Amino acid sequence: MKASKKLTFPKLDNEYVANILRQLVNQHSIIQMFFTRDIHSVFSHLIIHIEKNGDAQELQQSRWVKKVRNRYQINVHFIYSVKLHHRFSLGHPFIEFYCQTPAVIYQNDELRDSSINTREWKKYKKKFNGFQERFYHDHDLHKFQVQNLISEGSSNSVFTSYARLINYDLEYLEELCFGNNLNSLGLDERINNLIEYIPEIQKYFVKNSDNRYYLNDLFVKAEEATADDDAIYKNEMYEAVGITEKNVYGLIERRLDELKKLIKKGSLQVQKVPNQIDGNPKNIILEIAIETILNSVEVEQIYLYHQIAYGEKTTYYLMLIAKGAGNEKLSLISQSLKSKMDGKYDFVLLSHNRCWIQNNLYQNQRFFATIIQDKYLVYSSFPYHPEFHWEVPHNPYHADLYFHYKSAKNSAFQLFEIHNNPKENYQGLEYLFSLFFLSFCRTYIFAKTYYLPNYLYSQSLWQLCLYADSDIRKYEYLIEQFWIDFFPYLDRHMILHHKLSKLDKDEVGQMNVMVEKLMDELHHLVIGGRLLDFEEG
């Protein structure tokens, strides 16, 4: 055996790692080392073929292994001889490609009988087909079980079976990406580990938080419900979970095909990953708007879902999937954009984070599914943002519409009472009027679109009413005839102040007319349209 100080690893080109490898050769029965550098992938692979299982397990836990992975993007994998030969005999594609003779950077001549050697594609082809068929066979058995449970309507069992199937898929994907599986870890951690190797997998799992995923939480709830002899009714999520599993399955097929080509050619192929979405906006107004938004908030995606040209003004409706973009932030961005556009353009900005949208699809899916489409996407910070787990079938319903409608109606009736009071005591009426307008807009938008907006500023709410149904514009003359600038007036009175009211009878009359007409419109929509088939009091 060569002395460790004489060993050189020019192909490795990393003296820190080379020093460690020299020590390993001195201290352990190393049979072979394989190193493959792929300049088109995040990680290079260093596979160390060692004689004893105990040494392999112990060395895999060494601190330097993690350090080398994080600092130099070299994935170090220790594998003991019996296991390596077994996988080689089964035709494991990862082993077949990354343990080829050209990848050898160290060979122990004294243990040459234990070495792994390259074989020609013709000799390996049958092994590869056998490996692939075993995966397909077992996958189909898992899938068949899930389909049977779906037909039986066993919600809990469907989700726990889907969890087993996705874990099975991830196990194979891990084996094909870095040579071993991580089935001792939880689903969340396994997905996070795979992201470094296959960024595209992020598209298929929506996060509930920084480290947890929506589907895994669903699987956990199903398991807990089964243990407590309860039932979870999420049948509309079957197809969403099935789509996710199909996509992960597709990644396995793609990786198998990729390894097959690499083994046949004996060299790595270039993999191109898109950095930009196609069809970036050419419109200079949109470019200015997007730049302004990006300078103000952390945005994942922006959708231009509607555009209205009315008179000399064009209004853009933009939906942001972002973090930390509250109403105040959106208002500041809107004001900044207005100042840049000389009043010729207006912007209606909505913003939600991805987790909130996913968790509220039961109520808002019809609205978001209409907006979140490729044809409306004008900005994406990353090519692999998760796709939503849409509910199928989705049966939209107006949850709590009665209470929203009743609140708007009661505010209107309270205002009528004050208006008709002969004492002309209008104290607090401006606040009540602002409350009514907010209640009307949110209820109207919800009834039309199944989306209950946040407590946006009044002009944005009205513009969303126009998006929900342009026919509502017939009441804009009331806004234009208002004795004072309408929307700033409402926004000032969204917050209570301790002061005397200075309203006169004519001003209150204008309020009364507007409330009457808008309340009639809402009544016709909700009660006349039979969105509610009853009305109390």
Side-chain angles (χ1 to χ4, degrees), residues 208-314:
N208 260 354
S209 64
D210 289 339
N211 297 310
R212 293 190 63 82
Y213 291 90
Y214 177 83
L215 287 188
N216 191 37
D217 284 350
L218 179 62
F219 296 153
V220 170
K221 288 177 183 176
E223 190 173 349
E224 291 174 347
T226 301
D228 295 336
D229 202 23
D230 293 329
I232 108 177
Y233 299 99
K234 281 282 188 178
N235 298 9
E236 66 278 2
M237 291 303 298
Y238 289 167
E239 185 165 332
V241 182
I243 289 171
T244 297
E245 191 280 324
K246 183 178 179 181
N247 286 324
V248 176
Y249 177 82
L251 294 178
I252 297 170
E253 288 189 308
R254 193 174 74 185
R255 179 60 173 162
L256 281 167
D257 186 59
E258 178 185 57
L259 284 171
K260 178 180 178 180
K261 291 176 180 177
L262 293 175
I263 293 166
K264 291 176 73 172
K265 289 186 176 182
S267 61
L268 291 172
Q269 293 179 320
V270 176
Q271 296 178 5
K272 294 183 179 179
V273 177
N275 293 320
Q276 298 289 335
I277 62 169
D278 292 332
N280 278 338
K282 305 296 182 183
N283 185 318
I284 187 64
I285 302 302
L286 272 180
E287 290 180 351
I288 293 172
I290 291 170
E291 182 181 1
T292 302
I293 292 168
L294 296 182
N295 288 335
S296 303
V297 68
E298 182 184 348
V299 177
E300 293 181 10
Q301 291 173 313
I302 300 175
Y303 292 86
L304 173 63
Y305 63 95
H306 193 55
Q307 185 173 325
I308 296 176
Y310 185 73
E312 297 182 354
K313 181 174 286 189
T314 300

Side-chain angles (χ1 to χ4, degrees), residues 39 113 182 206 340 342 346 384 406 508 527:
I39 61 174
D113 290 343
L182 304 174
V206 176
K340 294 178 180 180
D342 297 326
D346 207 351
Y384 301 123
K406 189 68 172 178
V508 174
I527 305 301

Side-chain angles (χ1 to χ4, degrees), residues 319-451:
M319 165 77 176
L320 282 57
I321 298 181
K323 295 180 180 179
N327 292 344
E328 291 294 333
K329 178 71 73 173
L330 294 180
S331 176
L332 290 173
I333 295 172
S334 296
Q335 292 172 17
S336 175
L337 287 172
K338 286 181 183 179
S339 67
K340 294 178 180 180
M341 304 298 178
D342 297 326
K344 295 181 179 179
Y345 300 92
D346 207 351
F347 296 86
V348 181
L349 304 181
L350 296 179
S351 181
H352 295 284
N353 66 54
R354 194 173 299 272
C355 177
W356 187 92
I357 295 174
Q358 179 65 61
N359 286 324
N360 288 275
L361 288 182
Y362 69 94
Q363 177 171 284
N364 300 317
Q365 178 164 307
R366 175 173 287 188
F367 176 79
F368 286 118
T370 302
I371 291 173
I372 301 173
Q373 300 184 33
D374 289 343
K375 63 182 178 180
Y376 298 136
L377 183 64
V378 294
Y379 170 81
S380 184
S381 64
F382 184 65
Y384 301 123
H385 287 301
E387 299 168 354
F388 289 98
H389 305 302
W390 302 110
E391 294 184 352
V392 179
H394 176 70
N395 299 309
Y397 70 103
H398 292 100
D400 296 333
L401 176 60
Y402 171 76
F403 299 103
H404 301 310
Y405 170 77
K406 189 68 172 178
S407 174
K409 181 180 177 181
N410 285 350
S411 297
F413 278 30
Q414 186 69 24
L415 193 144
F416 295 154
E417 288 289 332
I418 295 175
H419 171 260
N420 295 327
N421 188 330
K423 294 184 179 181
E424 297 185 10
N425 178 3
Y426 304 135
Q427 186 67 34
L429 190 61
E430 50 271 81
Y431 302 104
L432 185 58
F433 180 66
S434 299
L435 172 62
F436 165 77
F437 188 82
L438 178 145
S439 301
F440 164 80
C441 288
R442 295 181 81 237
T443 308
Y444 184 84
I445 295 163
F446 183 42
K448 286 283 186 178
T449 69
Y450 295 92
Y451 172 66

Side-chain angles (χ1 to χ4, degrees), residues 135-136 138-140 142-143 146 161-177 181 183 187 190-191 194 198 201 205 241-253 255-256:
F135 164 70
Y136 292 147
D138 291 349
H139 176 274
D140 289 346
H142 279 288
K143 194 71 177 285
V146 171
S161 293
Y162 258 131
R164 286 192 293 271
L165 177 54
I166 289 178
N167 274 288
Y168 172 80
D169 290 343
L170 293 181
E171 180 176 329
Y172 263 83
L173 198 53
E174 290 162 348
E175 290 278 359
L176 295 172
C177 287
N181 64 68
N183 51 22
L187 181 61
R190 296 175 75 180
I191 296 168
L194 278 165
I198 310 177
I201 201 171
F205 295 92
V241 182
I243 289 171
T244 297
E245 191 280 324
K246 183 178 179 181
N247 286 324
V248 176
Y249 177 82
L251 294 178
I252 297 170
E253 288 189 308
R255 179 60 173 162
L256 281 167

